[in-house]
């Protein structure tokens, strides 16, 4: 594209064509001639082109030197000789002339190049880990992340998913549930994690996810309340997972590696279970202590061992598959001794003698009883008394591993759920059951717990968790948004295939009684899955032991960091101490708490009891991951643009449904406990936690719900039964931006009893462009007061005049059906003593504006005397003086006030005024009936006001009011005249002193003599002379003012007489006069009406009915 060259040369104004000589502005300064040329049309070797050092010829033919500086790339740079750089701008910045139009905005709006440069240098740090950034800026450069999908996501997910359940419990699950139901269990659990992984992939690819894993994603998607609750649940699940892995490792150690290492040994079979649990507790606590010390010393050692542990897992799984294939040709020999169809404990068989008697060849054939005979009979003699079942059935041996081609799967297809204490039986063997049930003293293999489909779901589910390992390492990934979805989903598919195929292989190769033998007692204590392994069971035993140890270390490493991330976000105040750690950032205190919680799991000591606990916490975490994705998709949040496109909101809600169903299927009481814990954490964060704005989906849901509700409210005005005060509180701020009458907010809070809408409004005088900062400060002050006293919104308007700002606020406040219907404003104190009448004029103007807008108006007088929220009234009355009907506001307001604790113990009295022509007795009955239908309890009294002559006091009060009004009016007139006089003198002085003023312009001339000044003042100031003062004294009061004053005085006498001891007096507020000249008299009438009363609430209805007798 051709570029344009600018050449600027100094010229005279006369040389510029098209300019008139009569242009004074241009002729006074030098001009500039601009020449445009295409850079492509200029030959670089041309001596007249830039960089040649040649001259440029002007129009007049004079040769002028070219001051253009030449840069290395050949671009010309204009010299600053001809540019007026009066602002002191750097040359480099000044010559960025392509963006000169935006140079004033560069401080607040950076260039795109600067923004992109910052984004390119973004580092994936955990939210809140500021010390890492500081250390990075001081110390060496951070090594850029280089891990790919395979090493960074796929293998860590495999290591975390494959765990103790695969080696210790999957065979038992298949034996109890049968192949079909076991496939169903595995399929449901794998579907749950796959759907969760799809949702997680969508969230993880919707922007950069710092190292924080599931907690970061949920908290930033669902808000701090959900994020904190689910984050702590995920933390507890990870911690209990560490306890489960440690218990699995100890079980392998004591059961299959070193059974003689047991400290507690029971002499009778009934106590073996309790002794085993005590051994698990002791060894588990020791193992937990050692692992915690290893994690405390350094995580780098744990990371170095991770690859070794992963290799153990892979080797173990491969050996299972090889063993299954080998069993098709050469099954391993693991005989299971059976008595009838009952399984015999292999530990009780001496020298593989699975028989009642054996023949010994000495001098003659001698039949000798075996060790098993002694277990079922009262002695070793042939004629000893024996168990009836023992006598009726014979011993037999079956192959524990029939092999892949044996067809044993036909027996293992169906479920066989034993109860606690039942003997493991093989249904295909012939047996006589005419004997009594088996005794625990006999050498059978018994079921240790009662099994069911739901129990097996809870025990198996932890074996599919660990899908968050990739997202937890997002800070180490080269391309996290690509690696996390691919690696996680591939890992889930791989593990799902392994689990499903393992279920089929176990059901095809292993006999059912051996599958249901949880601890391998029938094969002399061998690990059941190890009996299938090739070349030896020790491959599985050693591999599973190291893999469970590694998984426990990973849990103890990840859980404290998760707790530290939650603590550093500062959303749960009591966890702040766990955000601290060692100098290198290691979470010491969080590790200590993690170890203590894991010890609780160790003390449970049973793998089958710990597994459902962490199942609940993981399921709750996965449930909210699906909820976050589904909500963001349905709400169509503008920022919801995941790179991973293979998701849908139906998949997310299906995953959420499966998670919820699995929670209640596996253990309904654990599910309720987990939900209660999460709910308590949620409410705690909501009330006591730090406020965070993370742009979460719950805020989007709230906006959608609010929009829907507002549109519904727009359908029509509210019914009288639904009317409640939506309050606009008008506050005034002082010079320091402090509220002058904070009790107005307290009163508004008491009035609405926590319900309805409250908008706090204030007006800042000035120009919006200059006073925007003051407006923001005013809104912040209002927001802080709202947080302390009442819940609502704050609105600040900048206007030249306060009365205009209030008018605009009354017109524009609210949205849709949530517009204010009631205005609360304070009484202008000391309005009589104020020289500036703007305060009471603004007050009266606000009364007129609210009346025109059909809004109710509440004016509490002596607001500083109103009780605070901590000063409840223990007795007294709220008196209502019902003079004129105002839509029922006077009836409804006391009822609303009494809903608040401050006014709850106050009684209610209603007074109304009867004239001479009214029947006061009938009025009282009618009023009592009306209140009865309104369901309002109150005492009723009718006050009779007799016609009386206007008293001298009333006449004198009216006269004083008018005299004072005229005096103040003339004082204000004289003040304005003095200001006008000063303005004219200054203007005349400036006009006559100007020497450059054109002759033909009209001059301002004024003769301002002393006589004229005194004459002007005499005619415009009525009280400056004795004659003017006498004229003011001779004023006769207006008759209408006298009548109004008479009403105010008489009503005030009655009100003070009846309600002098009332806690609060509610009174109809008369409207302002139509003629604005009587505004000051109106203020005087209100003063007289409320004189002598401690707390008064002037009420003016909005013109609509607010209370009804109908249900």
């Amino acid at each position: 594209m051709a570029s344009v060259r600018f050449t600027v040369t100094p010229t005279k104004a006369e040389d510029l064509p098209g300019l008139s000589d009569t242009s004074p502005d241009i002729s006074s300064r030098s001009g500039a001639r601009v020449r445009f040329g295409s850079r492509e049309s200029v030959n670089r070797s041309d001596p007249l082109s830039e960089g040649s050092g040649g001259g440029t010829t002007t129009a007049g033919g004079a040769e002028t030197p070219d001051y253009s500086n030449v840069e290395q790339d050949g671009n010309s740079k204009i010299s600053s000789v001809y540019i007026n750089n009066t602002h002191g701008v750097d040359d480099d910045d000044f010559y960025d002339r392509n963006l000169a139009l935006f140079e004033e905005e560069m401080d607040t709006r950076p260039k795109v190049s600067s923004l992109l440069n910052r984004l390119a240098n973004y580092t994936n740090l955990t939210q809140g880990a500021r010390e890492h950034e500081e250390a990075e800026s001081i110390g060496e450069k951070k090594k850029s992340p280089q891990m790919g999908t395979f090493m960074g996501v796929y293998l860590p997910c495999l290591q975390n998913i494959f765990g103790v359940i695969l080696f210790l419990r999957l065979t038992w699950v298949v034996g109890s549930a049968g192949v079909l139901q076991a496939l169903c269990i595995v399929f449901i659990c794998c579907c749950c994690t796959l759907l969760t992984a799809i949702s997680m992939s969508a969230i993880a690819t919707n922007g950069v996810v710092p190292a924080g894993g599931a907690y970061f994603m949920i908290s930033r998607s669902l808000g701090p309340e959900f994020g904190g609750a689910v984050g702590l649940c995920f933390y507890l699940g990870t911690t209990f997972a560490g306890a489960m892995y440690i218990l699995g490792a100890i079980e392998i150690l004591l059961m299959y590696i070193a059974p003689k290492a047991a400290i507690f040994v029971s002499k009778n079979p009934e106590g073996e279970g309790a002794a085993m649990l005590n051994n698990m507790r002791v060894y588990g606590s020791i193992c937990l202590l050692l692992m915690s010390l290893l994690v405390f010393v350094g995580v780098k050692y744990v990371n170095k061992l991770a690859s070794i542990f992963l290799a153990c897992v892979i080797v173990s799984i491969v050996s299972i598959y090889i063993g299954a294939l080998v069993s098709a040709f050469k099954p391993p020999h693991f005989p299971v001794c059976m008595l009838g169809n009952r399984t015999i404990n292999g530990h009780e068989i001496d020298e593989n003698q699975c028989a009642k008697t054996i023949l010994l060849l000495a001098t003659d054939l001698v039949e000798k009883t075996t060790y098993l005979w002694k277990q079922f009979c009262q002695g070793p003699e042939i004629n000893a008394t024996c168990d009836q079942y023992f006598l009726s059935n014979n011993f037999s041996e079956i192959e524990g591993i029939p092999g892949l081609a044996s067809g044993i799967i036909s027996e293992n297809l169906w479920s066989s759920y034993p109860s606690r204490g039942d003997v493991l039986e093989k249904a295909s063997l012939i047996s006589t059951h005419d004997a009594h049930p088996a005794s625990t003293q006999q050498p059978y293999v018994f079921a240790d717990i009662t099994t069911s489909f739901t129990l097996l779901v809870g025990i198996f589910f932890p074996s599919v968790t660990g899908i968050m390992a990739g997202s937890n390492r997002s800070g180490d990934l080269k391309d996290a948004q690509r690696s996390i979805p691919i690696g996680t989903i591939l890992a889930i598919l791989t593990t799902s295939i392994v689990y499903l195929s393992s279920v089929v292989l176990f059901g095809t190769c292993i006999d059912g009684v051996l599958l249901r033998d949880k601890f391998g007692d029938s094969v002399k204590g061998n690990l059941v899955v190890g009996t299938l392994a090739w070349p030896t069971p020790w491959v599985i035993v050693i591999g599973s032991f190291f893999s469970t140890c590694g998984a426990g270390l990973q849990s103890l490493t990840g859980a404290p960091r998760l707790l530290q991330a939650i603590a550093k976000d500062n959303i749960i105040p009591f966890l702040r101490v766990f955000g601290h750690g060692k100098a290198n950032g290691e979470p010491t205190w969080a590790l200590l708490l993690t170890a203590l919680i894991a010890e609780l799991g160790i003390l449970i000591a049973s793998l089958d009891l710990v597994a459902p606990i962490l199942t609940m916490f993981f399921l709750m975490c996965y449930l909210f991951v699906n909820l976050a994705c589904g909500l963001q998709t349905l709400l169509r949040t503008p920022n919801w643009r995941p790179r991973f496109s293979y998701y849908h909101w139906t998949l997310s809600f299906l995953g959420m449904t499966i998670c919820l169903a699995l929670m209640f299927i596996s253990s309904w009481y654990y599910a309720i406990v987990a939900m209660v814990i999460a709910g308590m954490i949620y409410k705690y964060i909501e009330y006591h936690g730090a406020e965070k704005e993370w742009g979460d989906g719950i805020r989007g849901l709230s906006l959608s719900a609010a929009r829907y509700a507002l549109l519904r409210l727009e359908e029509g005005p509210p019914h009288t039964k639904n009317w409640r005060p939506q309050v606009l509180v008008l506050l005034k701020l002082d010079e320091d931006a402090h509220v002058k009458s904070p009790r107005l907010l307290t009163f508004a809070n008491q009035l609405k009893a926590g319900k309805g809408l409250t908008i706090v409004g204030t007006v800042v005088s000035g120009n919006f462009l200059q006073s925007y900062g003051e407006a923001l400060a005013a809104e912040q002050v209002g927001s802080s007061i709202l947080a302390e006293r009442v819940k609502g919104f704050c609105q600040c308007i900048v206007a030249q005049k306060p009365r205009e700002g209030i008018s605009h606020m009354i017109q524009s406040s609210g949205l849709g059906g949530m517009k204010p219907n009631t205005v609360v404003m304070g009484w202008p104190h000391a309005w009589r003593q104020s020289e500036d009448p703007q305060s009471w004029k603004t007050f009266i103007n606000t009364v007129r504006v609210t009346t025109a807008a059909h809004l109710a108006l509440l004016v509490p007088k002596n607001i500083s005397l109103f009780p605070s929220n901590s000063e409840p009234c223990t007795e007294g009355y709220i008196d209502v003086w019902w003079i004129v009907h105002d839509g029922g506001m006077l009836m409804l307001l006391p009822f609303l006030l009494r809903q608040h604790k401050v006014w709850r113990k106050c009684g209610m009295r209603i007074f109304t005024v009867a004239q001479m022509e009214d029947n006061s007795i009938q009025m009282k009955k009618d009023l009592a009936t009306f209140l009865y239908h309104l369901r309002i309890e109150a005492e009723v009294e009718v006050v009779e006001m007799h016609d009386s002559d206007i008293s001298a006091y009333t006449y004198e009060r009216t006269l004083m009011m008018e005299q004072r009004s005229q005096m103040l009016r003339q004082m204000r007139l004289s003040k304005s005249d003095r200001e006008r006089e000063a303005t004219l003198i200054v203007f005349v002085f400036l006009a006559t002193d100007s020497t450059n003023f054109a002759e033909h312009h009209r001059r301002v001339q004024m003769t301002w003599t002393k006589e004229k000044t005194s004459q002007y003042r005499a005619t415009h100031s009525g009280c400056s002379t004795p004659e003017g003062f006498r004229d003011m004294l001779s004023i006769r009061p207006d008759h209408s003012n006298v009548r109004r004053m008479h009403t105010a005085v008489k009503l005030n006498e009655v009100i003070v007489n009846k309600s002098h001891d009332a806690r609060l007096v509610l009174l109809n507020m008369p409207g302002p006069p139509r003629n604005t000249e009587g505004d000051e008299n109106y203020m005087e009438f209100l003063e007289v009406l409320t004189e002598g009363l401690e707390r008064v609430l002037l009420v003016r209805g909005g013109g609509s009915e607010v209370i009804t007798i109908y249900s």
Side-chain angles (χ1 to χ4, degrees):
M1 185 179 70
S3 60
V4 179
R5 180 181 63 188
F6 296 78
T7 304
V8 182
T9 57
T11 59
K12 296 180 181 179
E14 293 82 0
D15 295 334
L16 294 176
L19 288 178
S20 172
D21 293 337
T22 61
S23 303
D25 292 329
I26 299 179
S27 63
S28 62
R29 60 179 183 267
S30 62
R33 183 176 61 192
V34 182
R35 180 177 63 187
F36 298 84
S38 173
R39 190 176 295 276
E40 291 181 349
S41 64
V42 178
N43 188 359
R44 295 188 183 276
S45 62
D46 189 356
L48 292 180
S49 65
E50 57 232 307
S52 64
T56 307
T57 306
T58 62
E63 192 174 29
T64 307
D66 191 357
Y67 290 94
S68 300
N69 296 328
V70 182
E71 297 178 347
Q72 292 181 357
D73 59 354
N75 297 334
S76 62
K77 185 177 181 181
I78 307 169
S79 173
S80 61
V81 174
Y82 304 110
I83 297 178
N84 183 18
N85 191 4
T86 57
H87 300 289
V89 183
D90 195 342
D91 284 349
D92 294 335
D93 295 332
F94 189 85
Y95 282 108
D96 193 2
R97 54 184 179 274
N98 292 330
L99 299 176
L101 187 61
F102 302 94
E103 62 186 7
E104 294 184 358
E105 301 184 46
M106 291 299 180
D107 294 337
T108 57
R109 303 180 182 182
K111 292 188 292 185
V112 174
S113 58
S114 304
L115 175 67
L116 294 177
N117 183 49
R118 287 205 299 269
L119 290 177
N121 295 329
Y122 179 79
T123 55
N124 292 328
L125 293 178
T126 306
Q127 189 84 359
R130 192 165 295 174
E131 64 275 6
H132 290 284
E133 295 179 351
E134 296 172 355
E136 190 178 321
S137 61
I138 297 173
E140 70 278 356
K141 293 183 178 179
K142 187 179 187 297
K143 187 177 180 181
S144 59
Q146 295 295 331
M147 299 186 72
T149 303
F150 187 75
M151 293 297 296
V153 180
Y154 181 73
L155 290 182
C157 283
L158 281 185
Q159 182 183 2
N160 281 266
I161 294 174
F162 286 134
V164 63
I165 302 296
L166 170 63
F167 302 114
L168 295 183
R169 294 293 184 268
L170 187 56
T171 54
W172 175 65
V173 170
V174 175
S176 300
V179 174
L180 295 180
Q181 291 191 24
L183 286 174
C184 182
I185 292 173
V186 174
F187 182 75
I188 291 175
C189 295
C190 291
C191 282
C192 176
T193 54
L194 181 62
L195 294 173
T196 304
I198 292 174
S199 300
M200 183 194 71
S201 300
I203 298 174
T205 57
N206 187 50
V208 180
V209 179
Y215 162 70
F216 183 88
M217 290 188 292
I218 294 173
S219 61
R220 270 58 178 181
S221 298
L222 293 179
E225 293 87 2
F226 277 109
V230 180
L232 277 184
C233 287
F234 189 52
Y235 162 75
L236 292 174
T238 307
T239 304
F240 277 103
M244 184 190 71
Y245 290 131
I246 292 174
L247 289 175
I250 300 304
E251 182 177 312
I252 295 172
L253 176 68
L254 295 180
M255 286 278 189
Y256 310 112
I257 297 179
K260 295 183 179 180
I263 300 174
F264 302 95
V265 180
S266 175
K267 295 181 180 180
N268 52 1
E270 288 84 357
E272 288 181 358
M276 185 62 187
L277 293 180
N278 290 329
N279 287 320
M280 299 278 283
R281 293 185 180 103
V282 173
Y283 280 99
S285 301
I286 295 173
C287 184
L288 174 63
L289 179 62
L290 294 176
M291 287 185 176
S292 301
L293 289 176
L294 180 59
V295 173
F296 177 77
V297 169
V299 183
K300 57 183 180 180
Y301 302 108
V302 178
N303 294 331
K304 288 179 180 179
L305 294 172
S307 56
I308 300 175
F309 298 142
L310 179 60
C312 294
V313 174
I314 295 175
V315 169
S316 301
I317 294 174
V318 170
S319 69
I320 294 173
Y321 281 95
I322 295 176
L325 294 176
V326 169
S327 69
F329 311 101
K330 185 182 178 182
H333 180 62
F334 286 97
V336 177
C337 184
M338 307 292 294
L339 177 62
N341 65 349
R342 295 180 178 178
T343 309
I344 299 298
N345 193 329
H347 295 289
E348 305 294 336
I349 301 176
D350 189 17
E351 298 178 359
N352 295 325
Q353 296 173 352
C354 181
K356 297 180 180 180
T357 59
I358 57 173
L359 295 175
L360 293 180
L361 184 60
T363 54
D364 293 320
L365 288 176
V366 179
E367 186 177 11
K368 183 181 179 182
T369 58
T370 60
Y371 181 76
L372 289 175
W373 181 283
K374 301 176 184 177
Q375 301 297 318
F376 289 96
C377 300
Q378 295 181 358
E381 298 82 9
I382 295 294
N383 57 356
T385 304
C386 297
D387 179 74
Q388 187 62 38
Y389 186 84
F390 176 77
L391 296 175
S392 304
N393 295 276
N394 294 319
F395 284 101
S396 62
E397 276 192 354
I398 62 172
E399 285 295 333
I401 312 292
L404 192 62
S406 62
I408 195 68
I409 190 172
S410 60
E411 297 182 11
N412 296 333
L413 280 177
W414 314 112
S415 62
S416 176
Y417 295 114
S419 299
R420 179 184 175 90
D422 287 352
V423 179
L424 301 185
E425 298 179 347
K426 184 175 175 64
S428 61
L429 292 180
I430 300 174
S431 172
T432 58
H433 288 275
D434 54 354
H436 57 81
S439 170
T440 55
Q441 301 292 333
Q442 296 168 345
Y444 294 121
V445 179
F446 296 96
D448 62 335
I449 60 174
T450 300
T451 55
S452 62
F453 180 84
T454 58
L455 176 73
L456 296 182
V457 169
I459 291 176
F460 175 76
F461 188 80
S463 64
V464 297
T465 60
I467 62 175
M468 303 291 185
S471 62
N472 291 341
R473 294 168 178 257
S474 58
D476 301 325
L477 299 175
K478 187 187 302 183
D479 187 358
Q481 297 193 9
R482 178 179 177 273
S483 298
I484 289 177
I486 296 176
T488 305
I489 293 176
L490 281 180
I492 292 175
L493 291 177
T494 303
T495 53
S496 300
I497 292 171
V498 170
Y499 283 136
L500 292 171
S501 60
S502 297
V503 169
V504 176
L505 287 178
F506 293 158
T508 307
C509 300
I510 306 176
D511 194 275
V513 290
L514 182 56
L515 286 173
R516 288 188 289 276
D517 187 1
K518 184 189 294 186
F519 303 111
D521 290 330
S522 59
V523 287
K524 297 186 180 295
N526 277 298
L527 184 61
V528 176
V529 69
T531 59
L532 184 61
W534 182 89
T536 173
W538 285 101
V539 175
I540 296 290
V541 172
I542 301 299
S544 60
F545 176 76
F546 282 112
S547 68
T548 49
C549 289
L553 281 174
Q554 292 288 345
S555 299
L556 291 179
T557 303
R561 279 156 180 73
L562 180 59
L563 181 62
Q564 187 182 40
I566 298 173
K568 283 188 175 182
D569 269 344
N570 199 22
I571 59 174
I572 303 177
F574 69 84
L575 290 181
R576 289 173 187 163
V577 65
F578 299 107
H580 307 292
K582 294 193 291 187
N584 59 356
E586 291 297 322
T588 308
W589 292 106
L591 176 62
L592 179 61
L593 180 64
T594 302
L596 292 176
I597 297 176
E599 178 63 22
L600 296 178
I602 298 293
L603 294 178
I604 296 175
S606 174
L607 188 68
D608 302 323
L609 295 179
V610 174
I613 297 176
L614 63 102
T615 294
M616 291 303 118
F617 291 128
F618 277 121
L619 279 172
M620 184 165 292
C621 177
Y622 296 164
L623 183 148
F624 281 101
V625 169
N626 286 298
L627 177 62
C629 179
L631 271 183
Q632 301 272 32
T633 308
L634 280 180
L635 295 175
R636 294 183 177 89
T637 309
N639 193 51
W640 181 247
R641 302 184 300 274
R643 289 187 181 275
F644 181 79
S645 57
Y646 303 102
Y647 71 95
H648 195 265
W649 65 268
T650 54
L651 296 178
S652 298
F653 280 99
L654 178 61
M656 186 178 68
T657 305
I658 293 176
C659 290
L660 191 62
L662 287 177
M663 287 177 68
F664 283 94
I665 284 174
S666 58
S667 179
W668 63 268
Y669 44 89
Y670 277 163
I672 293 176
V673 170
M675 288 182 173
V676 168
I677 292 174
M680 291 171 61
I681 298 171
Y682 179 93
K683 298 306 290 184
Y684 178 83
I685 296 174
E686 186 179 27
Y687 285 109
H688 298 287
E691 294 183 1
K692 300 285 183 181
E693 177 52 57
W694 288 331
D696 50 87
I698 295 298
R699 177 61 59 89
L701 180 63
S702 302
L703 289 174
S704 297
R707 171 182 167 275
Y708 175 77
L710 284 173
L711 291 175
R712 289 291 302 273
L713 287 175
E714 278 287 344
E715 293 180 359
H719 193 273
T720 305
K721 292 185 290 186
N722 295 326
W723 193 95
R724 63 180 61 197
Q726 316 284 7
V727 181
L728 171 63
V729 184
L730 300 178
L731 291 180
K732 192 173 183 181
L733 304 181
D734 57 16
E735 294 79 6
D736 299 328
H738 294 149
V739 179
K740 287 189 174 181
S741 301
R743 285 290 172 90
L744 276 176
L745 287 172
T746 307
F747 173 73
N749 184 27
Q750 297 169 1
L751 175 66
K752 68 190 192 69
K755 303 294 189 299
L757 172 72
T758 299
I759 298 177
V760 175
T762 184
V763 177
V764 175
S765 300
N767 191 334
F768 180 73
L769 296 178
Q770 283 80 28
S771 304
Y772 180 67
E774 297 178 18
L776 284 181
E779 283 196 1
Q780 291 175 358
V781 170
S783 300
S784 62
I785 291 178
L786 284 175
E788 293 176 6
R789 298 179 181 272
V790 62
K791 293 182 180 179
F793 307 97
C794 186
Q795 184 175 3
C796 180
I797 286 183
V798 180
Q800 294 289 351
K801 297 180 180 179
R803 65 174 69 181
E804 293 178 359
I806 292 174
S807 176
H808 296 160
M809 183 174 296
I810 291 175
Q811 295 177 63
S812 61
S813 293
L815 183 63
M818 291 295 287
K819 285 183 174 293
N821 54 27
T822 306
V823 177
V824 177
M825 68 174 176
W827 175 264
H829 295 287
W831 65 273
R832 287 171 172 165
Q833 290 79 19
S834 176
E835 294 185 2
D836 185 12
Q838 291 302 320
S839 60
W840 57 266
K841 284 188 176 181
T842 302
F843 174 82
I844 298 177
N845 183 72
T846 305
V847 177
R848 289 194 172 102
V849 170
T850 54
T851 304
H854 300 289
L855 301 179
L857 177 64
L858 307 180
V859 181
K861 192 179 178 187
N862 301 327
I863 186 64
S864 60
L865 300 179
F866 276 58
S868 65
N869 289 331
S870 59
E871 301 170 351
C873 299
T874 57
E875 57 182 0
Y877 289 96
I878 298 177
D879 285 357
V880 177
W881 284 85
W882 193 15
I883 311 298
V884 293
H885 182 59
D886 56 356
M889 282 287 292
L890 283 171
M891 305 293 178
L892 185 62
L893 290 177
F895 171 78
L896 294 176
L897 283 173
R898 291 172 65 195
Q899 304 300 310
H900 197 272
K901 62 180 182 180
V902 172
W903 305 96
R904 189 165 296 152
K905 295 184 178 180
C906 290
M908 181 175 171
R909 295 187 299 193
I910 296 182
F911 298 90
T912 187
V913 176
Q915 303 296 325
M916 285 296 297
E917 63 271 13
D918 297 328
N919 186 344
S920 58
I921 299 176
Q922 187 62 37
M923 279 182 65
K924 186 172 183 179
K925 291 181 179 180
D926 294 342
L927 181 56
T929 305
F930 180 58
L931 291 178
Y932 174 78
H933 288 304
L934 288 177
R935 290 91 62 199
I936 294 178
E937 297 181 2
E939 299 178 12
V940 177
E941 186 171 346
V942 176
V943 178
E944 296 181 352
M945 291 186 64
H946 302 286
D947 288 338
S948 60
D949 295 333
I950 297 175
S951 63
Y953 171 76
T954 302
Y955 191 88
E956 183 181 355
R957 190 76 184 259
T958 309
L959 182 62
M960 290 175 59
M961 175 186 73
E962 294 193 356
Q963 288 176 349
R964 178 181 175 278
S965 177
Q966 184 173 352
M967 182 188 303
L968 291 175
R969 189 181 302 114
Q970 294 190 2
M971 287 176 63
R972 285 193 293 272
L973 283 175
S974 62
K975 181 180 179 181
S976 62
D977 290 338
R978 287 196 301 271
E979 292 174 353
R980 190 184 303 114
E981 176 185 337
T983 304
L984 286 172
I985 292 174
V986 171
F987 181 74
V988 169
F989 173 75
L990 291 176
T992 57
D993 191 56
S994 177
T995 57
N996 297 328
F997 204 78
E999 288 291 335
H1000 60 276
H1001 284 127
R1002 181 177 61 85
R1003 288 183 175 272
V1004 178
Q1005 295 180 351
M1006 180 172 288
T1007 304
W1008 200 262
T1009 62
K1010 186 179 297 185
E1011 292 80 7
K1012 189 171 183 178
T1013 303
S1014 60
Q1015 181 183 357
Y1016 181 84
R1017 286 177 175 172
T1019 56
H1020 288 78
S1021 179
C1023 59
S1024 60
T1025 61
E1027 292 81 5
F1029 185 74
R1030 283 195 297 270
D1031 291 341
M1032 189 180 67
L1033 293 180
S1034 63
I1035 291 177
R1036 297 180 62 84
D1038 184 71
H1039 182 64
S1040 62
N1041 287 341
V1042 173
R1043 288 191 298 107
R1044 290 187 176 90
M1045 182 64 74
H1046 175 70
T1047 303
V1049 170
K1050 293 292 290 182
L1051 272 177
N1052 178 257
E1053 289 177 357
V1054 174
I1055 294 173
V1056 171
N1057 182 35
K1058 296 288 185 180
S1059 302
H1060 61 276
D1061 58 344
R1063 295 291 183 179
L1064 178 64
V1065 176
L1066 278 75
L1067 181 64
N1068 282 116
M1069 181 179 183
R1074 293 185 177 89
N1075 187 4
T1076 58
E1077 293 181 358
D1079 285 354
E1080 194 169 3
N1081 298 337
Y1082 173 70
M1083 295 296 296
E1084 189 70 32
F1085 294 146
L1086 293 181
E1087 281 284 4
V1088 173
L1089 183 63
T1090 58
E1091 204 169 39
L1093 298 174
E1094 187 178 17
R1095 301 188 190 103
V1096 183
L1097 179 62
L1098 296 172
V1099 180
R1100 185 163 175 78
S1104 59
E1105 293 292 329
V1106 300
I1107 195 168
T1108 177
I1109 63 175
Y1110 299 104
S1111 60

